Structures are given as C-alpha cells and as structure tokens.
Amino acid sequence: MDTQNPIDHPDLSDAAAHAAAAHLIEQSLGHLYSAALRTAVLHHLADHVAGGPRTASELARRTGTDAGALRRTLRYLATRGIFREDDNGAFHLTPSGQFLRTGVPGSLRDAVLMLTDDIFVRSSGALDETVRTGAPAFPKVFGAPFFEYLRGDDTTRALFDTGMAAFSEPLDDLVAGAYPFPEHGIVVDVGGGRGGLLRRVLLRHPGLSGVLFDQAPALREHVLEGVELAGRWRAEPGDFFTAVPDGGDVYVLKHVLHDWDDGAAVRILSACRRGLAPEGRVLIVDSVPEPGNDPHPGKTLDVAMMTLVTDRARGPKDLDVLFARAGLRRSRILPTPTFASIVEAVAA
C-alpha cells in the first residue's frame, strides 16, 4: 500500500504542493461564486456602483442589506474580478461586472439568473446521479423531464426564455456578420425563441426575409417588430420534430441540438432537410469542443446540460454522423470569437 504523503510528491516542491492543495479547496467551493454572482444580481449591486465607487455601507443603505455581510460578499467577488476594492474601502465596477448591469447592451443579468437558478443548481448538485446512471438528474430532482417541466411552469419557462436570450445575444451579431448569408432568400430560425439572431441577420442583410419558428409560448415576446424589418418576417408556431416551414434557403439551429439525444436531433435535422430549398444550407450554431485538455466554455456547458437533458455538446465527427442520417453532409466549420462555432451542412 502506498502511504506517500501527496505533498511530498517528488515532482513537486513544498510550495507547489501546498498551492495545488489550496487550489483544490478553492475549486471545491465554486458553488459559492455562483451564489455570490446571483446575490449581486438580485440586489442590483452593479447598477448601484455603475455611477461611481461606493462603500459597502452606502450600498447596504441603498439595497436594504446588512453592511457587514455585503462587504464580505463584495470582497469575495473582487477576488474574481467582478468588483475592485480601493484603499478607502469603496468598490468599483470592473469590465466583467459591467455585464451584470440591467438594461445595457450585452447585459448577462438574465443569463446569470437562469444559470444560478434551482433548475441548474439542484440538477448540478446531483451530477453524481447522472454519472452513475448516464441519465439526466433533472427528472429525479424535479419530477418531470426538463422541457415538460418548463411547459407546466410559466415562471420557470419565462426565466429560461429570457435567460437564453441574454446568453445568446452576444453571439447573434457575430454570427450574422461572420457567416456569408446569401443576398436574397428566406432564413428560417428553427427553435429561435425571441428571434434575436434572426433580427440581426435581417438587419445586416436587407435582401433577406425570415421565419421565426418555435413553440407558441416562446414567440410571445419576440423582438422582430419595428419599421426597419416591416414586411420581411413572420412568426410561425410549430413542432420542429415533425415539420418546419418549407422553402428555406438557410435553416439556423442555434443552441438547439445540444438539448436532444441523437434520435431526436436526427428528426429535427431531417425536418430541415425536407424543407430545404435547392442549394440551401443548414447552420448549427453551437459549442463544438475540440479534443485536448485546454479549457473551453463548451466543456463546462456540456456537463451542465448533461444533468438537465439527454444530450451533449457534439464534436465534428459526432455531427457528421447525425448529418449522414438526416441526408446532409458537413461542408465547413466557421469559428466565432465566442464559445460557439457555425457548422454548415448541405444536402448529401
């Protein structure tokens, strides 16, 4: 039996060993960071600091919180680069903290509220169950599969829809600008929710028209109204497992396939293939993790999704298998400056 003390490992100095152990303990408390971010959002701390630095006592008076507990939380968030404490004990907003503000372009406030909600936290807390069984923990924790639960809970569905819209917004304009959309034709945003991506595509490409396709509840708060897009779009409710609007020149599936197992994903892709116009294309906008040990947001999201639904982030070879089953073939992958890539497929 090996009784060697890990901090006496011959490959590590004492300092390196203790640093590695401290890092492990810090990572084990990662759930506190999520809780602190959520606390900052719920008490609008970034909004209160946006006008200039404020002490914890000033912020406590503005937010109706306890000054001591608030200062300790702010100090912790400062170690993660969300706020910065100066020598006078006042807290400043950092570039990262700016994204927690309400109503500013690119705000991730609603995304943070979604990702730190019980639907993620309690499911992630049961990751050991997912690893043991290979099935998402969400149904065991909440009593129903993820999307069935959303259909029965309007509050959580609204949280999810607004959170996903905020999560996706930074990507929308990048995709609209990075992909060479045709000058004319129809773009169908399949499972497009509020239509943020479709809006950006239509604004950048005035010769295109669009169809926002999703379940009716997701379409209620779409963002396509306005004189600048008048007459160039329609919103159509439906079920992408059975059929999508016909005649699309480009079908876009953003953050859709990773929610579903292979069989369901093939059904969605097959529906797009049946509707595809001649020379049309299907775009998968999603995280496409590459092999290796380098950090990648998609690898983190993949584990989070694993606890919620039955599928995963897919690499290029995984997507190729799905495309082949749906009568498509991958033609190229275009990276974006964010965690997601654009995977283009055409008729096989």
Side-chain angles (χ1 to χ4, degrees):
M1 181 176 179
D2 186 0
T3 58
Q4 184 182 40
N5 189 324
I7 66 170
D8 294 330
H9 193 285
D11 293 335
L12 294 176
S13 67
D14 286 348
H18 286 296
H23 174 74
L24 183 61
I25 294 301
E26 178 77 10
Q27 296 304 305
S28 298
L29 293 169
H31 58 281
L32 288 178
Y33 182 40
S34 295
L37 281 175
R38 184 175 183 83
T39 298
V41 168
L42 290 174
H43 291 294
H44 297 273
L45 299 182
D47 295 324
H48 288 296
V49 178
R54 299 191 183 280
T55 65
S57 295
E58 290 175 307
L59 289 169
R61 287 194 295 271
R62 286 171 171 262
T63 59
T65 57
D66 179 82
L70 182 60
R71 182 185 180 280
R72 292 158 72 179
T73 302
L74 286 164
R75 180 180 62 182
Y76 173 54
L77 287 170
T79 69
R80 299 298 186 102
I82 304 301
F83 298 97
R84 179 180 62 83
E85 185 178 13
D86 64 25
D87 293 339
N88 297 316
F91 289 90
H92 302 244
L93 199 56
T94 67
S96 292
Q98 293 283 352
F99 288 99
L100 297 183
R101 293 175 60 191
T102 305
V104 297
S107 172
L108 293 173
R109 182 180 187 277
D110 288 336
V112 170
L113 284 176
M114 175 188 72
L115 294 171
T116 60
D117 187 76
D118 269 358
I119 57 173
F120 277 83
V121 173
R122 291 177 59 194
S123 298
S124 297
L127 176 61
D128 62 314
E129 177 71 7
T130 293
V131 170
R132 185 181 68 82
T133 65
F138 186 94
K140 183 171 183 178
V141 174
F142 288 92
F146 183 69
F147 288 106
E148 181 180 322
Y149 182 87
L150 291 186
R151 285 193 294 271
D153 188 316
D154 290 342
T155 300
T156 305
R157 177 66 196 234
L159 172 78
F160 181 74
D161 288 342
T162 56
M164 284 303 298
F167 182 77
S168 299
E169 184 180 344
L171 180 62
D172 291 340
D173 197 51
L174 291 171
V175 172
Y179 183 77
F181 285 90
E183 290 187 13
H184 303 281
I186 299 172
V187 176
V188 183
D189 194 353
V190 179
R194 298 172 63 189
L197 175 57
L198 183 59
R199 176 180 177 80
R200 291 295 182 180
V201 170
L202 296 182
L203 287 173
R204 278 183 171 266
H205 304 277
L208 293 173
S209 59
V211 182
L212 179 60
F213 182 76
D214 208 326
Q215 295 182 352
L219 299 176
R220 289 172 187 157
E221 297 186 16
H222 69 73
V223 295
L224 299 176
E225 296 285 0
V227 294
E228 66 272 27
L229 298 182
R232 296 176 53 206
W233 62 272
R234 75 178 192 273
E236 183 175 326
D239 179 3
F240 52 39
F241 288 121
T242 55
V244 299
D246 284 334
D249 296 282
V250 182
Y251 288 86
V252 183
L253 296 159
K254 186 187 74 173
H255 299 156
V256 172
L257 290 190
H258 67 211
D259 289 336
W260 306 100
D261 63 26
D262 286 356
V266 169
R267 288 166 61 194
I268 298 169
L269 290 170
S270 296
C272 294
R273 172 64 185 90
R274 289 192 298 271
L276 202 60
E279 308 302 322
R281 289 160 279 178
V282 176
L283 305 184
I284 310 302
V285 181
D286 220 326
S287 170
V288 184
E290 295 288 347
N293 298 315
D294 290 339
H296 190 283
K299 296 175 182 178
T300 304
L301 291 171
D302 184 39
V303 176
M305 297 305 297
M306 179 172 70
T307 68
L308 298 179
V309 293
T310 56
D311 212 45
R312 64 195 187 282
R314 295 178 173 90
K317 292 183 179 179
D318 298 318
L319 289 170
D320 287 345
V321 172
L322 300 185
F323 290 150
R325 291 174 59 186
L328 298 164
R329 64 173 177 82
R330 172 164 57 96
S331 47
R332 55 179 164 170
I333 299 179
L334 300 175
T336 74
T338 71
F339 64 89
S341 298
I342 305 169
V343 184
E344 179 191 73
V346 297

